[in-house]
């Protein structure tokens, strides 16, 4: 655990230690998530076979589970991985992609939620759906609600479960039910490139691998992506180039620059 | 339905409404197809689990099925999705990738063809194979025949089945058996970037979600991609950059520009 | 077989003939591997269904198997494909991604190794693991050993099995147990873009499709990627842009330029 946590210190720790991050993620996000992890200095591994997920969890510094294109076999493997992470006290993050769209996704998300992820990260529609175990929010995998709309529900979900909950969007909101923070920044083109949210989940797992305070680690990761998005938005005005510049920005980011530009606002007590 | 259909009006409708497009596509194409849909303003969702495909079809404005890397499980899910689309009167498009290469692909394509897609889109070798239920055309998933070679077979296939058939290549040919059109344009680098055809299928689904006349919608989509390809070809002379610029061009394209530059030639009656 | 083998002649042969390369590869690498093959002028096909892998092997000039995200079903299909390739005398290459990380990966790699690939290509940690059938090398799918560390083990593996073994890293080492060569070049950013090694495997299959001497073909392919990496490294200083420029460089490379810049050092006899 970092004694004086800051986003830059966390990023520096990732660069120094290169934590192995085990991803069970969707088929659309594999490429960007792996490249985002490499860009910040982490070591990604993508593995979903039931036969090896527990082994990889035991090697990894953190686990990211994204239910985006799950089949029952992938879900079962994810459950095994999550149970192993819980047993090993390895931090793990749940990304409930599109859980408000179908009963299958909601059931998968709820089953994983019971295995006590360190963090749940979703867009406003996904967190609203999860907090209420209710379908009909969002459009497919995209949000139709704002972060502000679901802050109360996110706080309730965090309080009831004891988990950290992150709602990401124009301004992110993260809470453990007692403490909370907001992260500003980012760029509108982040919503016009597929899998940016999934890559953010992967990056957050890397931050969790080096910073024990899950709330702080999440704030650091969200700030890192927000700053990278702003940098990319200055270099690119269309999504093809923006995706390239986002990876460039993650790679080039200096810890000092991240500390300077991070717009993290703690709402209750400082960590 | 648009009262005065034009490619620009269709593109504008996509930007305004952001139709949800459900894709059951191949593992190579996921990223580019999703990004192409986002670039033109649609909302992509990729989902192939038997447990949820019918739900997503019911939420979606259109369905795109691409058999590129199917296993029997994916094929079964695609059949369920197609049946649901047919029942819901949701437009759906079949992309019979490489159907002339193996009996497995041909059988998958033929089985889906019976569920009456609104549109079949393939390269010349794929359409020739499909029209004759015969293997041995093409090289793997690439065309070895020209569009002109298979116009007659495409017309016969359309007449016999009542479907719209699109053969894409240097100059595209689209027919419903009675009316037909050609779309010129594009760029040779489109054949040196993987999944451009698959992304075109996805985009066509988005146009079908906003324009009921399938023949017109297809012409609009093919023109949109052709114009984007030309724009990208001016900005890039190699495939790595071309892929980036193709997404940029789709994103930046103005409806008015598309109307001006679209090279759609109606061969029979105006729609 | 080329009478006077050189990397440039092999590249030219790929451009002229456009060999079909059948890939059974991991979910992260699909996009980059397909695009790298297209960039050098080959025709990629990705297919992993048990029902069609033997058909595709029979159509292909070479087969590349990469165990990166295998499940038992994919492994079974890969075994069928490899057996077919062996029977057809079609060259095939095994990429044992992360085989030192889990017992499942090692078992998959060992089972495929018995079907006599023409070539095994891996990083130092993977080759060390394979040569000793031992876990615990590497970090996930990344190498923690240097090429020099495992040259002796690679030579022993090649001698015992009669296969060509390639260890790739800062300076590559390739041996058939009697002859050997080194390939210098490349760029450090190649380790910060996911699936570059997998794309190299795919490219090597293309070179094997046009050059019968597996050791020479491998040297040519490694030199081609090393030169492309150097070119990309001059155009880009961060991984997002580097990936784009790597594909550009593969596409733009002239056979004469490759011959001039290739840094292949034969250690025993000239081929």
């Amino acid at each position: 655990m970092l004694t004086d946590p800051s986003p830059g210190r966390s990023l520096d720790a990732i660069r120094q230690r290169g934590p192995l991050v085990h991803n069970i993620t969707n088929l659309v996000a594999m490429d960007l998530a792996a490249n985002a992890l490499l860009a910040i200095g982490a070591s990604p591994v993508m593995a979903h076979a039931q036969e090896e997920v527990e082994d990889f969890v035991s090697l990894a510094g953190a686990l990211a589970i994204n239910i985006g294109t799950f089949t029952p076999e992938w879900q079962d493997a994810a459950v095994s991985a999550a149970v192993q992470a819980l047993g090993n006290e390895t931090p793990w993050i749940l990304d409930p992609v599109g859980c408000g769209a179908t009963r299958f996704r909601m059931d998968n998300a709820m089953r994983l939620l019971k295995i006590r992820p360190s963090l749940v990260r979703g867009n406003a529609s996904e967190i609203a759906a999860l907090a209420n175990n209710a379908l009909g929010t969002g459009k497919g995998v995209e949000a139709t609600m704002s972060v502000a709309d679901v802050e109360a529900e996110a706080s309730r979900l965090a309080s009831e479960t004891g988990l950290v909950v992150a709602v990401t969007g124009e301004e992110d909101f993260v809470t453990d039910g007692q403490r909370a923070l907001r992260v500003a920044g980012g760029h509108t083109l982040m919503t016009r490139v597929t899998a940016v949210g999934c890559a953010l989940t992967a990056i957050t797992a890397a931050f969790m691998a080096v910073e024990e305070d899950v709330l702080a680690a999440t704030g650091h990761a969200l700030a890192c992506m927000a700053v990278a998005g702003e940098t990319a938005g200055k270099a690119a005005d269309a999504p093809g180039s923006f995706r390239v510049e986002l990876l460039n920005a993650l790679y080039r980011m200096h810890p000092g620059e991240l500390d300077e530009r991070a717009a993290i606002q703690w709402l209750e007590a400082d960590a």
Side-chain angles (χ1 to χ4, degrees), chain A:
Chain A
M1 188 171 177
L2 301 169
T3 49
D4 179 16
S6 84
R9 285 180 69 100
S10 293
L11 178 60
D12 191 53
I14 291 170
R15 297 259 170 81
Q16 297 300 321
R17 300 184 218 164
L20 184 68
V21 177
H22 178 192
N23 298 270
I24 303 179
T25 190
N26 71 69
L27 300 172
V28 193
M30 294 251 171
D31 180 87
L32 190 64
N35 276 317
L37 285 167
L38 286 169
I40 61 165
S43 287
V45 69
M46 273 58 189
H48 63 278
Q50 181 71 58
E51 288 76 7
E52 67 175 1
V53 286
E54 293 166 59
D55 293 342
F56 270 120
V57 168
S58 295
L59 295 169
L63 167 69
I65 294 179
N66 174 308
I67 68 168
T69 54
F70 271 12
T71 55
E73 290 72 26
W74 283 59
Q75 165 72 5
D76 287 347
V79 166
S80 296
V83 168
Q84 185 74 28
L86 187 67
N88 291 2
E89 300 187 10
T90 299
W92 79 276
I93 173 170
L94 171 63
D95 187 337
V97 179
C99 67
T102 71
R103 176 48 49 195
F104 177 65
R105 288 190 185 221
M106 180 59 80
D107 288 348
N108 287 346
M110 294 303 284
R111 188 169 158 217
L112 285 160
L113 196 62
K114 287 182 185 137
I115 311 171
R116 307 189 50 71
S118 315
L119 171 70
V120 180
R121 188 210 67 81
N123 64 37
S125 295
E126 288 158 354
I127 297 300
L130 204 61
N132 298 295
N133 191 358
L135 301 186
T137 63
K139 181 169 67 175
V141 298
E142 291 182 17
T144 55
M145 310 171 80
S146 76
V147 173
D149 289 340
V150 299
E151 287 196 4
E153 280 165 315
S155 297
R156 180 171 56 77
L157 180 62
S159 296
E160 287 175 4
T161 59
L163 314 175
V164 179
V165 177
V167 196
T168 59
E170 273 198 56
E171 187 176 48
D172 309 321
F173 175 75
V174 193
T175 176
D176 63 6
Q178 299 191 313
R179 298 177 303 160
L181 57 83
R182 290 206 179 92
V183 180
H187 192 276
T188 181
L189 278 173
M190 296 170 101
T191 65
R192 291 286 122 192
V193 174
T194 196
V196 168
C198 310
L200 174 55
T201 292
I203 283 178
T204 306
F207 278 84
M208 282 162 46
V210 299
E211 167 54 59
E212 275 187 38
D213 182 339
V214 175
L215 191 64
T218 304
H220 297 170
L222 300 184
C224 177
M225 185 61 105
V227 169
E230 289 169 4
T231 302
K234 281 172 192 150
D237 68 349
S241 300
F242 184 85
R243 183 188 197 278
V244 169
E245 294 298 340
L246 188 65
L247 291 171
N248 287 348
L250 288 170
Y251 177 79
R252 290 178 184 139
M253 194 181 298
H254 289 117
E257 177 198 6
L258 176 55
D259 278 340
E260 200 173 301
R261 295 177 56 192
I264 304 175
Q265 179 196 1
W266 286 85
L267 299 180
E268 317 280 314
D270 266 354

